[in-house]
Amino acid sequence: MKTATLADGTVLHCGQFLGAGAAGSVYRVKGSPHVVKIFKDPTPALKRAMQAILGDYNTVADSDYWRSLYCWPDGLVIKPSLGVRLPAIPGHLKELGRIVFPKSFNRLPAAERPWAQRLGIAVKLARAVGRLHRSGFTHSDLSPANIYVDPRRGELRIIDLDGLVVRGHLPPQVIGTPEYIAPEALVGKATPSSRTDLHALAVIIYQLLLYRHPLRGPARRATGNPDRQELLELGPEGIYIDHPTNRKNRPRCEGSGFWPATLMGASLADAFETCFVAGLKTPATRVSAGSWESYLVRLADRVVTCGNPACKDKHFPLTDGRALVCPWCRTPYPAHSGVPALRLMRGSKDGKYRPEQDWWLAGIPGRKLYNWHVRANASPMPGTRPKPLAEVRLQKREWCLVNLGLERLREVRSGRPAANVPLGSAIPLRNGTTILTGDPPEYRALYVQVVSSRS
């Protein structure tokens, strides 16, 4: 194919044929960072769906940030047949499978292995899927093959968006990729929907954080029929590796290379259990993409750097009830005087505070507090550079919180708030200290608990 014409009359000069799949053929566009996909079956419904994706349902039209998370179609091809123009996948991005599949992950260079990078990818993936669902789309084939990343730069792109399920316009074209197909779709009782997307999303997040598939364990059920075995292991009767009571599928290497989901904290452990126990049979119970994003952002507040320079994973999360030890290499965290845990507390008009569920910050040098930490109803704003409002520092061998931008930062002494702490000044972070970041109920309080390396 030499040329393709867009609906606005633009003529694209096509170059290299890149390949063909079930949906169509793909060509590189000369002199442009784009490709053209020509559909094999150009139905009227498909044309209406592409017009919706490019028009009223366009999820990325108003934001460079959201554009950076997808290879979103940006032109409708009308000649020689129906198709779309899409951004080409940048050359430095690679399939997510390089990170989540053990064999390829073990061959990665050291710069692409740190665990904190995997967490960052999980946050962006949950955010991107949530945006699709809020816009009325279903991806229908979420899998590592359709997600491209650069761990070092923290970049992520979701592809295959010309196959989106568009509510009221286009039904599902595929049911997904093996290992990521929702159980109800696997047994033929449902077609792709946001709920089936949420199963695939949970599987990928689990793989990113814990280095394994949540349903692929040693409990192999010999049936003599590979398809039947697949249904048993990945369908509604699958057994979650971290199942709280059924340990049949628990890897044999438990205690040496097996890291339980509880390592990620109560909120994420409960979310995984919901998706891979109740959620296998009851899709409506699955955790939303927005909730995954919230849990993962909170997890990031507890990440520290391993004290072992040879640790390949470099980072790990601190977790309530667990010793300050890197789970990957078993090196104790170098915190001889303990680590101040800043527990977030939500206030009410009567001045009483209650702890936020499973949300605290590991007080390490340079840990910053932002608007969403101190204000009760604030959330991170994707695509912006937030201003730090306070910072944890170790000054003269004492932990402290330095005020960078809070007008009413105060320490509670003898049950009463002390004077406002001026900008640039600090409050010592001692065990049992309570700090007010402002007035309730708009602002939170911080309760300090020093966690010992021997806890």
Side-chain angles (χ1 to χ4, degrees), residues 49-65:
M50 293 306 104
Q51 289 171 330
I53 290 172
L54 291 163
D56 294 341
Y57 287 78
N58 193 323
T59 297
V60 305
D62 58 349
S63 169
D64 288 339
Y65 175 80

Side-chain angles (χ1 to χ4, degrees), residues 62-401:
D62 58 349
S63 169
D64 288 339
Y65 175 80
W66 293 113
R67 260 191 296 275
S68 74
L69 298 182
Y70 313 96
C71 285
W72 196 271
D74 61 9
L76 182 69
V77 175
I78 57 173
K79 292 180 182 180
S81 183
L82 182 66
V84 287
R85 181 181 66 181
L86 306 115
I89 302 169
H92 64 282
L93 300 183
K94 307 299 180 184
E95 275 192 24
L96 182 62
R98 296 175 71 242
I99 293 176
V100 299
F101 300 145
K103 287 185 179 179
S104 55
F105 175 74
N106 291 333
R107 295 194 294 267
L108 287 178
E112 295 183 23
R113 292 179 61 101
W115 183 84
Q117 294 178 357
R118 300 169 71 96
L119 173 57
I121 289 169
V123 170
K124 284 194 171 182
L125 177 60
R127 184 174 292 159
V129 172
R131 177 83 166 184
L132 286 178
H133 288 177
R134 289 190 298 274
S135 300
F137 293 119
T138 295
H139 188 281
S140 79
D141 194 13
L142 275 178
S143 72
N146 286 326
I147 302 165
Y148 279 68
V149 300
D150 181 340
R152 287 174 288 190
R153 300 184 187 182
E155 294 183 28
L156 173 142
R157 300 282 195 290
I158 296 179
I159 68 166
D160 205 22
L161 297 168
D162 55 287
L164 289 174
V165 177
V166 184
R167 191 181 303 161
H169 291 279
L170 188 67
Q173 306 299 300
V174 296
I175 66 166
T177 296
E179 305 276 332
Y180 303 92
I181 299 173
E184 65 275 17
L186 193 63
V187 297
K189 292 185 177 180
T191 57
S193 66
S194 59
R195 288 177 179 173
T196 62
D197 274 359
L198 291 177
H199 175 80
L201 175 64
V203 171
I204 296 170
I205 291 174
Y206 188 93
Q207 288 180 304
L208 283 167
L209 299 185
L210 290 161
Y211 300 92
R212 60 181 182 264
H213 192 286
L215 302 175
R216 288 292 200 191
R220 313 294 286 189
R221 306 186 209 179
T223 65
N225 183 327
D227 292 335
R228 175 63 178 159
Q229 183 168 318
E230 190 92 343
L231 289 176
L232 288 173
E233 294 180 2
L234 302 178
E237 303 302 322
I239 302 173
Y240 176 37
I241 281 180
D242 274 287
H243 197 289
T245 58
N246 186 344
R247 302 171 67 89
K248 291 180 180 179
N249 210 22
R250 193 68 56 89
R252 305 268 190 266
C253 57
E254 183 174 358
S256 176
F258 173 84
W259 305 285
T262 52
L263 178 66
M264 301 298 124
S267 294
L268 279 163
D270 290 347
F272 285 131
E273 183 178 325
T274 295
C275 289
F276 302 129
V277 180
L280 295 185
K281 295 182 178 180
T282 313
T285 64
R286 289 177 190 146
V287 176
S288 70
S291 293
W292 280 118
E293 180 186 352
S294 177
Y295 300 152
L296 293 165
V297 167
R298 294 183 181 196
L299 177 63
D301 288 331
R302 306 198 306 271
V303 174
V304 299
T305 300
C306 180
N308 177 8
C311 179
K312 295 179 180 179
D313 303 272
K314 302 299 182 187
H315 312 100
F316 68 97
L318 300 186
T319 306
D320 281 325
R322 289 185 173 272
L324 305 186
V325 175
C326 175
W328 323 126
C329 71
R330 308 305 303 168
T331 301
Y333 186 67
H336 305 294
S337 58
V339 175
L342 279 62
R343 300 189 179 277
L344 276 61
M345 313 283 287
R346 180 182 286 262
S348 57
K349 291 182 179 180
D350 61 6
K352 295 181 180 179
Y353 290 86
R354 66 182 188 278
E356 296 277 16
Q357 182 181 5
D358 198 31
W359 196 0
W360 54 278
L361 290 84
I364 58 175
R367 175 79 73 197
K368 294 177 175 59
L369 279 70
Y370 296 99
N371 191 44
W372 61 87
H373 294 123
V374 302
R375 299 187 69 155
N377 295 316
S379 300
M381 297 295 292
T384 63
R385 291 188 177 184
K387 177 184 177 182
L389 299 177
E391 182 179 333
V392 177
R393 295 178 186 173
L394 187 59
Q395 297 183 166
K396 297 181 180 180
R397 305 185 70 177
E398 182 177 49
W399 291 106
C400 62
L401 184 70

Side-chain angles (χ1 to χ4, degrees), residues 6-17:
L6 300 182
D8 65 4
T10 302
V11 177
L12 306 175
H13 295 275
C14 300
Q16 181 185 4
F17 170 67

